[in-house]
Amino acid sequence: MEVFCHSNNDMKGKLYKTNLRRLVSIILAITVLVTSVGLGTFLVEAEETDTYTTLYLIDNTLEKWVGDDNAVIELVDNTSGHEHYMMTKVNDTTWSVKVPQSAYNITFNRYSPDKSIQWNSWSAGGRDFNNAYFADGSEYGHWEAIEEIDETEEKYFHAGDIVYLDVSEFTSWKNDNAIMYVNFSEASKEVNNGNNISISDADKVYYNPKKVEIEVAENVYAYVITFEDEGATELRFWRGNDFTLWNCSVVLTYEDFDSGTNCVKISNWNSTGELTIS
């Protein structure tokens, strides 16, 4: 784990800039989409908000098993109710999330990738002035104070990023009242022996699709990355119905996106097309 030491003022300034960048990104994304579908302008009423801090869960187990089986980690703030936050994977042993500074009494939950099964839970209790919880075993650990981890170079999709699907060159993708999906995995039909994928029965490690419901122009769709999606490094678009995935696009990786390519253009039924700029 790479740790960078800064003065308190440097850390606060860095956190402020990171939070501001994320907030501006999401507001811009929503503005672009609302404008694109012709809903006109809207007014966002500013409200006074709590200051935020970054909390970490660190795998301190001997076997380093917390991230096994594509586990996802949730932080629950029990200070004034039960506020749930999905954490972002920083590296193989570290997860992070931004929460209100007032978050004090904390629980960490380890779930299956589709969050249907809770595998482990750490009742971390009060964190005092600490910001990192070290999971020492399946249900126990300890708090420590660490310097902020530099996540600026992490190569994954972030909340507020927008990706596009263009079927204008192969509109047959819309046949049969097809529903458009995005799936944050490079898995194609080959992983399922070339067969269509039953959404309810599929292995969620490979197939956990989200509906793409915003059509920003004729035959062009958009999807805004959510906090739940954040951390993914590749995706494919799919077509299907409420129960089955039929056909998939080529892969769009974060490296492609980071270089300016944000759109997948379909040219045939499966794994064909090109990456473009929308």
Side-chain angles (χ1 to χ4, degrees), residues 185-195 197 206-207:
S185 162
E186 65 177 358
S188 63
K189 293 180 69 172
E190 280 65 32
V191 176
N192 198 44
N193 297 316
N195 300 317
I197 292 90
Y206 299 110
Y207 308 107

Side-chain angles (χ1 to χ4, degrees), residues 70-270:
N70 295 300
V72 296
I73 307 297
E74 174 191 63
L75 180 150
V76 183
D77 175 15
N78 305 301
T79 309
S80 300
H82 301 285
E83 300 296 329
H84 296 253
Y85 303 88
M86 293 308 300
M87 303 190 77
T88 297
K89 192 170 185 179
V90 177
N91 53 45
D92 288 342
T93 59
T94 307
W95 290 258
S96 72
V97 67
K98 288 181 174 60
V99 298
Q101 183 73 42
S102 58
Y104 176 78
N105 186 5
I106 306 299
T107 296
F108 296 95
N109 295 319
R110 176 176 180 261
Y111 285 97
S112 58
D114 63 348
K115 207 181 173 187
S116 64
I117 304 172
Q118 180 177 301
W119 289 333
N120 304 92
S121 184
W122 292 267
S123 297
R127 67 182 183 88
D128 297 322
F129 297 103
N130 300 301
N131 64 343
Y133 186 78
F134 287 74
D136 299 319
S138 60
E139 295 184 355
Y140 62 94
H142 69 280
W143 285 101
E144 288 186 18
I146 66 170
E147 298 289 349
E148 181 192 1
I149 298 174
D150 188 351
E151 301 179 50
T152 57
E153 297 303 317
E154 293 298 325
K155 300 297 184 181
Y156 52 71
F157 290 103
H158 296 82
D161 292 342
I162 309 175
V163 291
Y164 296 89
L165 168 66
D166 184 344
V167 299
S168 59
E169 290 187 3
F170 192 72
T171 57
S172 295
W173 249 50
K174 298 176 70 173
N175 290 355
D176 305 312
N177 295 313
I179 297 171
M180 304 303 163
Y181 290 94
V182 62
N183 188 52
F184 291 94
S185 162
E186 65 177 358
S188 63
K189 293 180 69 172
E190 280 65 32
V191 176
N192 198 44
N193 297 316
N195 300 317
N196 291 341
I197 292 90
S198 170
I199 296 174
S200 62
D201 299 330
D203 185 339
K204 301 305 181 185
V205 172
Y206 299 110
Y207 308 107
N208 191 22
K210 311 288 185 64
K211 288 184 178 179
V212 179
E213 300 178 304
I214 303 170
E215 191 167 3
V216 295
E218 186 175 7
N219 300 319
V220 179
Y221 300 83
Y223 182 82
V224 182
I225 306 298
T226 68
F227 283 107
E228 183 177 307
D229 307 322
E230 188 169 275
T233 57
E234 64 271 323
L235 63 86
R236 286 183 192 264
F237 288 102
W238 289 77
R239 66 184 290 271
N241 58 24
D242 284 319
F243 312 102
T244 307
L245 299 177
W246 300 328
N247 308 100
C248 63
S249 73
V250 295
V251 175
L252 174 66
T253 67
Y254 181 76
E255 284 75 13
D256 297 323
F257 180 86
D258 195 39
S259 67
T261 304
N262 62 357
C263 180
V264 176
K265 181 173 286 189
I266 302 298
S267 63
N268 214 313
W269 292 113
N270 280 301

Side-chain angles (χ1 to χ4, degrees), residues 56-69:
Y56 301 96
L57 174 72
I58 297 175
D59 183 355
N60 199 41
T61 64
L62 181 63
E63 301 84 359
K64 298 294 184 289
W65 52 262
V66 173
D68 288 355
D69 301 314

